[in-house]
Amino acid sequence: MALRLFNDRDTMWPAMTSEQEPLSVFRNMDREMKRMQRDIDHMFRQSINTLPEEDRRAFLERRANDHATSSVEERDGKKLLKYSFDLHNYKPEEIAVKATDNTVTIHAKHEYHDQQGHNVFREYRRHFVLPEGVKAEHLQSKLANSGILAIEAPLPEGHKLTHHMEHCIPIQREEKKAIK
């Protein structure tokens, strides 16, 4: 299989030859994208290691909490379910936590006008369902100075968290009848 390259504004792009199947070009491109991602990850890890220990730890903690994380902690002999969210881009008054039945919603909204008079708008919204037996009225939320929002609830005695199996639900498409 021959692969020729053509130059388009200083970027090398693969050109498909007559003996190539169209899918093989995409497979090669996918393989190359994965290789580039590994290289970027490697460079990122190397650059993180050049930071002072305290800055590196704070950065990695913030990065780990970029999305909602959950854990079970033991405090004073009781088990707590803890969710963490990174909301460092929002002021405390811009953040709301609400519970409806067993669903918790975290909503943060930030809007301001920049120097050019443009509206800048940022919004964060996450929903999660409390495990069976965890009561919404026992939830407590705390916002750290670092911007990490922690939501905690006591787990009932003897409660074991179960992970629900996920399954795909096929989507059925209706065929449109041709108009004659």
Side-chain angles (χ1 to χ4, degrees):
M1 166 172 55
L3 183 68
R4 27 175 244 273
L5 298 173
F6 66 91
N7 195 331
D8 179 27
R9 293 188 185 174
D10 300 324
T11 305
M12 300 299 281
W13 295 94
M16 193 168 66
T17 61
S18 59
E19 65 265 8
Q20 277 185 299
E21 293 181 34
L23 287 179
S24 68
V25 171
F26 292 110
R27 282 189 201 108
N28 290 340
M29 192 166 42
D30 185 55
R31 190 177 311 120
E32 184 63 16
M33 293 294 285
K34 287 178 182 173
R35 184 196 62 76
M36 290 183 339
Q37 183 64 48
R38 283 191 307 270
D39 291 348
I40 290 169
D41 289 344
H42 177 73
M43 288 187 300
F44 176 77
R45 283 190 300 273
Q46 284 181 326
S47 67
I48 286 298
N49 290 333
T50 63
L51 292 173
E53 179 66 26
E54 185 177 311
D55 293 343
R56 181 173 57 238
R57 199 174 312 124
F59 177 81
L60 291 173
E61 179 181 314
R62 179 166 279 154
R63 185 170 182 237
N65 289 319
D66 215 10
H67 300 287
T69 58
S70 63
S71 61
V72 176
E73 295 181 2
E74 193 155 331
R75 195 178 306 147
D76 300 327
K78 295 181 180 179
K79 288 187 178 183
L80 289 174
L81 179 60
K82 182 177 178 180
Y83 295 92
S84 298
F85 304 88
D86 185 357
L87 299 173
H88 72 276
N89 290 321
Y90 300 93
K91 298 175 188 170
E93 60 271 12
E94 297 172 332
I95 302 169
V97 178
K98 295 180 182 177
T100 305
D101 299 325
N102 65 341
T103 301
V104 179
T105 302
I106 295 90
H107 182 227
K109 193 159 92 171
H110 180 73
E111 185 175 6
Y112 68 95
H113 303 288
D114 65 9
Q115 294 174 343
Q116 289 81 26
H118 300 109
N119 287 337
V120 179
F121 183 79
R122 178 178 29 239
E123 188 168 8
Y124 179 97
R125 185 182 304 267
R126 295 291 182 271
H127 305 277
F128 63 91
V129 177
L130 292 171
E132 193 174 317
V134 176
K135 298 186 188 262
E137 56 268 15
H138 295 140
L139 288 173
Q140 292 184 348
S141 64
K142 297 173 188 167
L143 183 64
N145 289 336
S146 65
I148 303 298
L149 175 69
I151 299 176
E152 299 176 345
L155 281 173
E157 295 233 2
H159 187 275
K160 293 187 181 190
L161 290 177
T162 57
H163 297 283
H164 299 285
M165 293 298 293
E166 178 181 290
H167 69 280
C168 294
I169 301 169
I171 300 171
Q172 296 178 357
R173 296 183 67 184
E174 291 183 16
E175 296 290 326
K176 290 186 178 180
K177 295 181 181 178
I179 300 174
K180 294 182 183 181

